[in-house]
Amino acid sequence: MTFSPVSDTVLNQFTQIVGEKFVLIASHEDFARHASDETEDLKFFPEVVLKPANAEEIAEIVKLCHQNFIPVTPRGAGTGLSGGALPVHKGVVISTERLNKILEIDERNLQATVEPGVINEAFQMAVQEKGLFYPPDPASKGSCFLGGNLSESSGGPKAVKYGVTKDYVLNIQVVLPTGELIWTGANVLKNATGYNLTQLMIGSEGTLGIITKIVFRLIPFPTKNLLLRVPFYSAEEACAAVSQIFRIGLVPSGLEFMEREAIEWASRYLNIETDLPEGIEAHLLIELDGNDLDVLYKEAETLYELLQNYNIGEILLADNEAQKNELWKLRRNASHAVKHNSVYKEEDTVVPRAELPKLLHGVKEIGRKYGFKSVCYGHAGDGNLHVNIVKADMSDDDWNYKLTDGIKELFELCVKLGGTISGEHGIGLVQKPYIGIALGETQLNLMRGIKNVFDPHGIMNPGKIF
Amino acid sequence: MTFSPVSDTVLNQFTQIVGEKFVLIASHEDFARHASDETEDLKFFPEVVLKPANAEEIAEIVKLCHQNFIPVTPRGAGTGLSGGALPVHKGVVISTERLNKILEIDERNLQATVEPGVINEAFQMAVQEKGLFYPPDPASKGSCFLGGNLSESSGGPKAVKYGVTKDYVLNIQVVLPTGELIWTGANVLKNATGYNLTQLMIGSEGTLGIITKIVFRLIPFPTKNLLLRVPFYSAEEACAAVSQIFRIGLVPSGLEFMEREAIEWASRYLNIETDLPEGIEAHLLIELDGNDLDVLYKEAETLYELLQNYNIGEILLADNEAQKNELWKLRRNASHAVKHNSVYKEEDTVVPRAELPKLLHGVKEIGRKYGFKSVCYGHAGDGNLHVNIVKADMSDDDWNYKLTDGIKELFELCVKLGGTISGEHGIGLVQKPYIGIALGETQLNLMRGIKNVFDPHGIMNPGKIF
């Protein structure tokens, strides 16, 4: 694809569409932050950042870009971890930050219609006030946008029981790369009417269009929960316990794994004192939820019984909100703590959950082979392990070149175990070199063909996924 | 598209691939039944029916058909209700009936790998023996194939709590219309690796390829349930009660609606005596499930309280398996009972659940306007109402021509209410004339474009959906 730069004429047209105040060029104080997201330390500057007010303005901008072969990079909150929001081919960044309204919470139908720039947690709280529940809650829920959650097919700790973002989306309004505005489906729980464009859009990382409205389904809010912290003397054994918990019929609403170092780093980062006896290699954080506390205590008993089969320390049953919040805060900040500590790369590995011990074992073995240190944590219940490779005292050369082979080997292991190379962060820019490990040329050609149907000029978030 | 007939040369090649025994031509006693499915009284004869043994044979057949521009119609059990398995352009029917093995039930990962010709209920029972649950259970579960369930994005009564077929599929092996064999995803609960080809394949009604293996996720089997039958003096009020049940925080595992006439016809068809006092217009069948009977009884109490706000008859709490089975049998046979009674057309309408009363009201009003009688039942909890239009004493002319306008009006109402024209039966052949009501030209062109990427010769199940 050959792209054109943003000419003065086009810039004027942009200004007419969105208004001068919402056209940002390099001299603007708010411009520079649009060159990066939460992915490592990458920076790519666009030519211009636009902040449209609504779907219609976005459609007009995109139509212009389509006609003029100008690259468009959609941007939510910039919390992505695979570089999806980075304008690698320059052009225009379209920020959805002004499309930030919850348009309707429909209590009769347990549905909600929102704009893509609504912050995940703000939405969760708004529906919770009405006794409703929107479960998907990525670690960045306090800042990430729902539109970005759709684009990356985000998960979070609740996914183990409640599913990921894709399981709550009924219908999406999208500006296609040609500037046309469509709805992908209907506001219904079941839909067998043509191909599933809704699910095709989810996880397409902004390459097939810009999401401008979302209709979610909601469920009743579960009123009670218990949280258990279980210390294991062997990290691999902690992983092995995970699949057993489901095997005895329990479905926790959270089942998180943290390696000792992740706990230590997060504790230090947050200045929280964590009880971590010598020899403990990992924690499992297990949440049970429902509407009946007696039932939850019964489930907890079943869990205690099972856990007696493992070499564990003392289980902490968090029985007040403060304690629960602290435990979740530690888990949610693991990524920040690692980032604070060192340059790092985060690999979003995922395997069938019973293969977790093999995955963890393999991560460490590959680390020894290639000389990298890793800090691991993640959504163990989903088989989704975030492997943080920290630079520490690796040479720049090893970090930039030799490491690539190590990551390749890690992803090959995932695929060999029946898994894949991203569970919830997407491929974006940084995992693009590895996609051939997960998908063959036939699948990739189908995807390229689909991309071409939606985006014949290839302007929408170019340079991502494949 | 111009297609070619099956030449003697190609027929010989087919015979070499699958063996003489599995090539059926018109003179074969088992040939004729492949001309129809459960959709109304339609008949379309193929040139040849092939019964391959495995994915590799299917790939070889399809490659030949691709090269020779021969139409291919994939066929499961032939229980479809939209004509998806009808070979309207002649050519080859590929039956998946010999791909009927459950390949693995992986108790460690709560996953199962099956071939597409496994019968839904056989699969359910096989996993239940291991304490596991595969919830999607269309009314035809005793005979329908899992491959067909995927192709039509089938639902069933459990969908209201547990979701539809698409929510249990992790990965699909597919023979593409070019004869290439791919897997669409990975065997994981979360996957953010490229476009979601798995979900694109589900509900594509055999137009994008032939499913040859499926990896399902499973959940622990809920051990207890209660079933309530609630008679309403007003059918519209029964529909109105549905959304209130969710609003008070309950999530039933079944929430079915049956009009009086559907109950009467099914009772007569099955020779079951049903207590149906004068004035009762409809039943709701409400199932609650879980692992703790005390909790279920508490939920039932909450339900009773809510239902006191409606004009209802005496609630029947089915407390033994025989009674429960009889109630479910009546519901599952409603469609057969209607078919037994008259020529009919079944419309698979779906709306946001709180709009059900408006939909039912509209159905009857449109019926009066166009002179048709309808018998309604369906998955009320999902807003999915099966509207059976019975021919009764309508003239053939009215049935074949005037009725089309009535159905159009009915579907326009669905869309106006935020719904669509098929919830779980698919578009196939019979709803094709109406798809423009639900989807605009832009969406349809995207779908046609996707179809063309997968199937450049247009041979795979031609004449369906659009």
Side-chain angles (χ1 to χ4, degrees), chain B residues 163-181:
Chain B
V164 296
T165 305
K166 80 170 169 60
D167 301 308
Y168 292 85
V169 180
L170 300 179
N171 202 0
I172 313 174
Q173 190 194 51
V174 181
V175 172
L176 296 173
T178 49
E180 291 162 291
L181 194 61

Side-chain angles (χ1 to χ4, degrees), chain A residues 107 109 192 195 207 247 354 422, chain B residues 107 109 183 192 195 207 247 354 422:
Chain A
E107 294 180 67
N109 284 304
Y195 300 158
T207 64
R247 198 58 206 94
S422 178
Chain B
E107 295 180 67
N109 283 304
W183 283 94
Y195 300 158
T207 65
R247 198 56 205 96
S422 178

Side-chain angles (χ1 to χ4, degrees), chain A residues 1 3 70-74 84 86-90 206-207 429 432 451 455 457-466:
Chain A
M1 289 287 165
F3 298 119
I70 296 168
V72 174
T73 305
L86 301 176
V88 293
H89 287 278
K90 301 190 187 287
T207 64
L429 178 68
K432 200 170 79 158
K451 164 73 176 170
D455 186 10
H457 292 181
I459 59 159
M460 194 53 76
N461 209 4
K464 306 297 165 61
I465 308 182
F466 34 67

